[in-house]
Amino acid sequence: MEEHKIFTTSFSRVYPYLVAKAEKKGRKKAEVDEIIHWLTGHDQTGLDRVLADGTDFKTFFATAPKLNPQRETIKGVVCGIRVEEVQHPLMREIRYLDKLVDELAKGKPMEKILRHD
């Protein structure tokens, strides 16, 4: 399946696009990092290591220190796909991340993005 090519893509290859998506709408790289920390449990040192090591998406999520249980409350459409209906577990994690960055780019407040309401 074509979608599974992303599983072996290095996270560091996609990360600049996530940051650019946010920055294009006036948001900051630090906010993207905060989303990643919230979603995966990676601290900044861990995230920097993943980016430097060229860790692929599969390993990035498989070795995440603590996937946030609230991530399962993420709903909605991103790239024409309803996040909560994605069947493949890894693809759903990738879509969660994309949806959160999408919410950031659309101007949603961080406390709402990180489900603090």
Side-chain angles (χ1 to χ4, degrees):
M1 289 174 78
E2 186 66 28
E3 70 180 2
H4 294 242
K5 282 177 119 179
I6 194 166
F7 298 172
T8 57
T9 299
S10 74
F11 183 72
S12 62
R13 186 169 171 209
V14 175
Y15 177 77
Y17 294 104
L18 298 173
V19 172
K21 181 190 233 183
E23 288 181 340
K24 202 180 331 181
K25 299 294 185 169
R27 302 305 289 257
K28 304 208 179 320
K29 175 187 171 294
E31 291 174 303
V32 174
D33 290 354
E34 185 177 352
I35 286 170
I36 294 168
H37 301 162
W38 178 88
L39 183 65
T40 66
H42 282 289
D43 59 14
Q44 193 61 47
T45 301
L47 176 56
D48 291 342
R49 185 172 35 255
V50 162
L51 294 170
D53 291 349
T55 302
D56 62 35
F57 267 99
K58 184 176 181 180
T59 305
F60 175 68
F61 283 106
T63 61
K66 184 174 183 351
L67 292 173
N68 192 315
Q70 286 187 302
R71 75 193 188 289
E72 295 175 2
T73 66
I74 300 168
K75 309 274 189 244
V77 177
V78 66
C79 298
I81 297 169
R82 184 154 287 288
V83 176
E84 62 271 24
E85 294 175 1
V86 174
Q87 295 299 307
H88 193 284
L90 179 54
M91 184 54 72
R92 190 169 44 249
E93 299 299 340
I94 293 167
R95 293 294 181 186
Y96 286 153
L97 175 59
D98 199 20
K99 179 64 177 164
L100 293 174
V101 174
D102 201 44
E103 290 176 357
L104 180 68
K106 288 181 177 175
K108 200 170 189 181
M110 283 301 285
E111 54 274 358
K112 296 276 189 195
I113 295 169
L114 303 182
R115 283 39 187 180
H116 290 300
D117 45 25

